[in-house]
Amino acid sequence: MIAEELRSTPQRRAVLEVVQHAQDHPTAAEVLERVLEVLPGVGAATVYRSLAMLVESGQILELRLGPSAATRYDRNVENHDHLVCDQCGRLADVQVGLDPTELLNAVSSHHDFQVSGFDLRIHGRCADCSSATSPRRSTHA
Amino acid sequence: MIAEELRSTPQRRAVLEVVQHAQDHPTAAEVLERVLEVLPGVGAATVYRSLAMLVESGQILELRLGPSAATRYDRNVENHDHLVCDQCGRLADVQVGLDPTELLNAVSSHHDFQVSGFDLRIHGRCADCSSATSPRRSTHA
DNA sequence: GTAACTGCAAACGATTTGCAATCTC
DNA sequence: GAGATTGCAAATCGTTTGCAGTTAC
C-alpha cells in the first residue's frame, strides 16, 4: 500500500519537455519522433507509459477525437477549451473564459459526483474546410 | 458528383433502434451484441459502418474517452453534457444548461471557425469510485 | 437492373504487456 | 541493493477494408 515513488528519468523528462514545448497537439507517435531527436533509442512503449503517467498526474492533457484517430496530447493545463474541426480533425486551443464553478458544484451534489475539472469542445469547421465546396467525409468521424 | 442515396436496411434500422433505446452509452461491441438479439447474423463491420453513418448524419453522437477505450455512442443529440468518471470510465448525461451562444459566436469570428456545436465533459469521480479507498489506476486513461 | 449494402475474414494502427537488462534513489 | 524503469518484441484490441454475394429502390 506504500505509494510507489515516481522516478525522474531522462526519458520522462524528455517527454514532458516535448509536450510542454509543442505548439501543436502531438500524437504519441509525434512525441516519440521528437523525443528521439534528443534521446536516440527511446522505445515507443516508454513514451506511451510516460504520457499516461503525465496525464494521470495532471501535468498534461489527452484528447481523443474520432474512432480510429490517435490520442493527442496538450501541454496547456490552464483552463482552456478546444476548437475541433469535424472535417479535417484539426485542433486549436481557445480561451472561452467559461467559469461554471457554480454549475459544477450543483452537478456535483445533484449527481453525487466529485468534479475535478471539465473540458469544453467546440465543434465545427475550420476556415480551410469551410471554404471547401462540398464537405463529405470526415477525418475524425 | 451525384449524392449517393442512403438505403434503409434492416441492419441500419436495428442499429439506430438499439442506440436510441439504450439507457447507457454503449460501445460498438455492445451495440452489436444487442443488435444480434434481434437480427442474428449481423456482422461487426456492418454495425461499425452503420454507427459511423448515423454519427455523420447527426442522428447519434460518439464519445471517445481514454487512449485504448472503445468509442461510445449516445442517443441524445439534444444539447447536453457529460459526466465522465476518470476512474471507471462510466459516463452519464447531465443537463448543465450552459448557453454560451454569445461566446461561441465570438469564438467563431475571432478564429474564423464555423461553430456547429459543443460538448462539455465534466471529469471527476463517480459515487462508487469516490468511496473506494485509494484510487490508483484509471480505466479510461 | 443496378448501385448500395452485407458478412466474412484479413489487414491495420494505436496502445499495451511480458520480460531481462539497466538505472535511480 | 532494491525496486522502479527501460527497450524490445509479441500480443491486444478497436476499427477498417477488400471482396463476392445479396438486397433495396
Side-chain angles (χ1 to χ4, degrees), chain A residues 25-29 62-65 69-73, chain B residues 64-68:
Chain A
H25 298 80
T27 61
E62 76 185 355
L63 296 164
R64 292 203 87 188
L65 300 180
T71 303
R72 292 180 172 280
Y73 295 87
Chain B
R64 295 205 84 190
L65 300 180
S68 63

Side-chain angles (χ1 to χ4, degrees), chain A residues 7-23:
Chain A
R7 296 184 176 174
S8 171
T9 67
Q11 292 88 336
R12 288 181 186 172
R13 271 177 258 126
V15 169
L16 179 57
E17 177 89 355
V18 164
V19 177
Q20 286 185 328
H21 286 66
Q23 293 304 311

Side-chain angles (χ1 to χ4, degrees), chain A residues 116-136:
Chain A
S116 67
F118 58 93
D119 169 24
L120 177 64
R121 297 182 185 193
I122 300 174
H123 289 268
R125 289 218 199 310
C126 67
D128 292 355
C129 292
S130 291
S131 53
T133 338
S134 69
R136 189 73 68 63

Side-chain angles (χ1 to χ4, degrees), chain A residues 99-118, chain B residues 83 96 122:
Chain A
D99 179 31
T101 310
E102 295 174 29
L103 291 174
L104 295 187
N105 287 337
V107 166
S108 181
S109 48
H110 272 286
H111 291 267
D112 197 5
F113 190 90
Q114 203 175 83
V115 176
S116 67
F118 58 93
Chain B
L83 244 34
V96 168
I122 301 175

Side-chain angles (χ1 to χ4, degrees), chain A residues 9-12 14-15 31-50:
Chain A
T9 67
Q11 292 88 336
R12 288 181 186 172
V15 169
V31 172
L32 170 60
E33 202 176 284
R34 299 173 199 181
V35 168
L36 282 174
E37 292 172 8
V38 173
L39 271 184
V42 176
T46 299
V47 168
Y48 276 101
R49 285 183 289 230
S50 299

Side-chain angles (χ1 to χ4, degrees), chain B residues 66-126:
Chain B
S68 63
T71 303
R72 292 179 173 280
Y73 296 86
D74 189 341
R75 66 200 175 108
N76 192 349
V77 182
E78 300 298 300
N79 268 343
H80 72 289
D81 310 296
H82 293 103
L83 244 34
V84 182
C85 178
D86 291 332
Q87 195 63 33
C88 66
R90 206 172 302 178
L91 214 57
D93 287 353
V94 243
Q95 196 67 47
V96 168
L98 263 191
D99 178 32
T101 309
E102 295 174 30
L103 293 174
L104 295 188
N105 286 337
V107 166
S108 181
S109 48
H110 272 288
H111 290 266
D112 197 7
F113 190 90
Q114 202 174 84
V115 176
S116 66
F118 57 92
D119 169 24
L120 177 63
R121 298 182 183 191
I122 301 175
H123 288 267
R125 288 216 198 312
C126 68

